[in-house]
Amino acid sequence: MQDVVRVTVVGAGVVGCATALQIKEKLLNATVSIVAAHTSPDTTSNVAAGMVMCPLIPDTPLSSQRQWFRDTFSHFLRLINDHHAGVRLINGYQLYNSTQDEVPFWGGDVFGFRAITDKELAMFPGCSHGFHLTTLQCDVATYLAYLMLRLNALGVNIIEKHLSDLFELEGQADVVVLCTGVGSAHLISDPDLYPVRGQIVNVYAPGIHSFVRIGDGMTHIYPGAGGMVTLGGIKAVGDGDLRVRDSETRDILTRCFTVMPFLKNVIGDSKNDKFAIKDEKRNSLCDSGCTKNTWGRDRETGWRIGVGLRPFRKQLRLDRLWLRGSQGKRMRLVTCYGHGGGGISLHWGSATEAADRVLDWAHDPEGKGVQDAWPANRIPAKL
Ligand code: FAD
C-alpha cells in the first residue's frame, strides 16, 4: 500500500460517488475525498429517469458492458428494501418500429423478458414488435443522497470546487480518479469524448405505472416517484447547449402521444408538480467544463423540463494512466467516464473496476509500463 494513502475522486455524479465508496471499502486505511464542481441535484445524473436499461457503447467489449450491467442490477436489487436508496422494481415495454433492432444485450439480465403478444402490441400504434420485462429504477436524487450518507459515514470528504487543471490536486492526492462525465474533456486531452444533449419533460400522470421505451430509448415514457412521469427524449450528437428548447418539448410530447395515445387523457395539471426550481437558467451554454444540468418550465404547459449532456465515447474510458505535466510533473490517474446514455445502468459495475485500478496503483505505485496521458491544455506537439 506504500505511497497510495490519499485518493481524490473528481466528480459527484453516480459514477464518482459509487467509485469513491468502493475505493474506501477496498482501501480502508486510505483517505478518500471527492472534489466536484456540482453535487446533487445539479449533476447530469440528476436529469436521468434512473432506468436500468441502456444502449450499447459501440467499441467497448460486450462482456464488460454485460458485467457492469449485471453488477449494477445486483447492487440495486440489494437496495430495494431500503427506502432511503430510492430503488424500485418497474415493468413495461421495450418496443421497436422496425425489424432490424436486436434483442438488447441486457435482455437476459432483467426479469421476465419475453416477446409481447399481438394484444399488447395493439396498444402501441406504429410499433412492429417488442418485449415485456421487469427491471429496476432509481430516483437519482434519493439514491445520490443515500450514497452521500454512506460516504459521510466512512469519513469521505466532499469538496465543491471546479478544477481547471488536475494538477491543482498535486501534493494532495497520491491517485486521482477522473469521474467527470462530459466535463472530462476540459481536464484530459481526449478527442473521442463528446456531449449528446438530452431533454426531458416531467408530467404528472399517476395512472401510468408501466414504462414504454422505443428502440434505443430516444422516445420513452418512464413513470417515476410521486406520480410524475418522464417523457423523452432528445439525442443531439455533439450538441453542448444546455438551454431548454420549446420546440423539442413539443416534439417529445407529439412522439409520446403517438406511441401511447391514451397518455394525453391521463396527464394531470402541472400545479400537481411540487418540484421547486431553484434557478431557471434558460440561457446557459455548456462552456469551460460546465456540466451542470438545466431545469426550467415549459412556457405553455408549466411542465418541468430538464436538459443534460450525456458523456459519449465509443469506448468507456476505464484506464490506469500517468498524467504528464510540465517540468516532468506526473500524477497517478484512473479514468472512469464515457457512460453515454447508460451511466445509471452501468455505474456500479464500472466503479468496481475503477476501484480495482486504484488498487493496482497501490500494489504497483511505480507504474512502469503504464501509459501516459496529458491535460487537455497541454498536449505535446508529437501527438
Ligand atoms: P455526471 O453526472 O455528469 O457527474 C459529473 C461530475 O463531475 C459532476 O459532479 C460535475 O460537477 C463534476 N465535474 C465535471 N467537470 C469538473 C471539473 N472541471 N471540476 C470539478 N468537477 C467537475 N442512464 C441510464 O442508465 N438510465 C437512464 O434512464 C438515463 N436517462 C438519462 C436521461 C437524460 C436526459 C440524460 C441526459 C442522461 C440519461 N442517462 C441515463 C445517462 C446518465 O445520466 C449518464 O450516463 C450519467 O449521469 C453519467 O454520470 P457521471 O457520474 O459520469 O457524470
Side-chain angles (χ1 to χ4, degrees):
M1 292 310 134
Q2 165 213 354
D3 272 344
V4 175
V5 286
R6 297 164 306 166
V7 181
T8 298
V9 175
V10 188
V14 285
V15 176
C17 290
T19 304
L21 191 57
Q22 294 192 58
I23 294 168
K24 184 63 192 170
E25 285 172 347
K26 287 180 182 183
L27 272 175
L28 281 175
N29 294 327
T31 304
V32 179
S33 50
I34 295 180
V35 173
H38 305 290
T39 56
S40 180
D42 293 327
T43 70
T44 305
S45 301
N46 288 86
V47 184
M51 296 294 293
V52 182
M53 51 202 314
C54 56
L56 194 68
I57 307 174
D59 287 354
T60 303
L62 187 58
S63 55
S64 301
Q65 296 187 63
R66 281 214 170 107
Q67 192 60 49
W68 298 331
F69 186 93
R70 275 179 199 154
D71 288 351
T72 306
F73 195 88
S74 306
H75 160 70
F76 274 146
L77 199 57
R78 286 191 291 273
L79 297 180
I80 52 170
N81 291 321
D82 183 344
H83 72 275
H84 297 295
V87 180
R88 63 175 190 147
L89 285 163
I90 183 167
N91 67 60
Y93 297 95
Q94 165 68 57
L95 302 169
Y96 299 99
N97 44 27
S98 79
T99 46
Q100 275 108 45
D101 292 296
E102 291 168 14
V103 175
F105 76 89
W106 39 259
D109 296 309
V110 294
F111 296 136
F113 191 80
R114 60 156 176 88
I116 60 168
T117 62
D118 289 346
K119 219 170 168 178
E120 287 169 301
L121 196 57
M123 289 191 289
F124 308 109
C127 295
S128 57
H129 63 293
F131 304 94
H132 183 270
L133 61 121
T134 300
T135 186
L136 292 153
Q137 182 192 34
C138 77
D139 178 67
V140 179
T142 308
Y143 176 61
L144 281 172
Y146 163 84
L147 290 182
M148 289 286 181
L149 277 179
R150 281 181 63 177
L151 288 163
N152 286 338
L154 289 172
V156 175
N157 243 342
I158 295 151
I159 302 148
E160 277 203 42
K161 185 177 186 227
H162 179 272
L163 298 176
S164 305
D165 188 326
L166 286 176
F167 279 98
E168 288 173 41
L169 298 171
E170 204 188 7
Q172 297 166 41
D174 303 314
V175 180
V176 170
V177 188
L178 198 60
C179 303
T180 37
V182 84
S184 311
H186 294 268
L187 293 169
I188 187 170
S189 59
D190 185 348
D192 298 329
L193 179 70
Y194 55 94
V196 174
R197 182 181 177 282
Q199 181 166 319
I200 48 101
V201 186
N202 274 179
V203 299
Y204 182 67
I208 304 289
H209 298 289
S210 300
F211 71 82
V212 174
R213 180 180 193 259
I214 310 293
D216 67 355
M218 163 84 168
T219 300
H220 60 253
I221 299 160
Y222 294 148
M228 298 306 292
V229 177
T230 300
L231 308 181
I234 297 294
K235 288 190 177 178
V237 177
D239 188 342
D241 186 352
L242 278 163
R243 285 175 290 195
V244 169
R245 291 185 193 145
D246 294 338
S247 59
E248 290 184 351
T249 303
R250 302 274 90 71
D251 177 40
I252 291 167
L253 291 172
T254 304
R255 273 186 281 128
C256 290
F257 292 157
T258 304
V259 172
M260 194 192 264
F262 59 87
L263 180 65
K264 212 184 286 185
N265 307 325
V266 296
I267 292 185
D269 199 293
S270 59
K271 66 175 177 293
N272 289 309
D273 175 5
K274 304 286 188 304
F275 186 93
I277 292 171
K278 253 196 320 193
D279 50 352
E280 182 163 351
K281 22 180 201 54
R282 281 175 171 264
N283 298 314
S284 56
L285 275 164
C286 173
D287 53 9
S288 65
C290 165
T291 49
K292 206 175 170 183
N293 55 34
T294 294
W295 288 104
R297 294 264 176 208
D298 181 48
R299 291 182 224 271
E300 208 174 286
T301 60
W303 290 119
R304 181 163 35 117
I305 313 294
V307 182
L309 305 178
R310 303 174 184 92
F312 261 76
R313 203 174 184 273
K314 276 193 188 152
Q315 202 166 31
L316 195 153
R317 196 173 195 189
L318 233 167
D319 280 333
R320 177 160 88 107
L321 299 162
W322 279 115
L323 189 73
R324 298 283 174 182
S326 55
Q327 295 157 351
K329 281 192 218 167
R330 61 181 196 171
M331 186 176 264
R332 295 184 191 95
L333 190 68
V334 170
T335 55
C336 188
Y337 65 82
H339 295 70
I344 311 299
S345 311
L346 305 174
H347 79 288
W348 191 262
S350 59
T352 307
E353 221 172 296
D356 286 342
R357 301 277 156 96
V358 174
L359 282 189
D360 291 342
W361 273 123
H363 294 132
D364 170 32
E366 292 311 314
K368 288 202 182 77
V370 170
Q371 282 193 339
D372 290 337
W374 282 267
N377 57 357
R378 221 177 289 142
I379 309 167
K382 66 180 166 64
L383 287 183

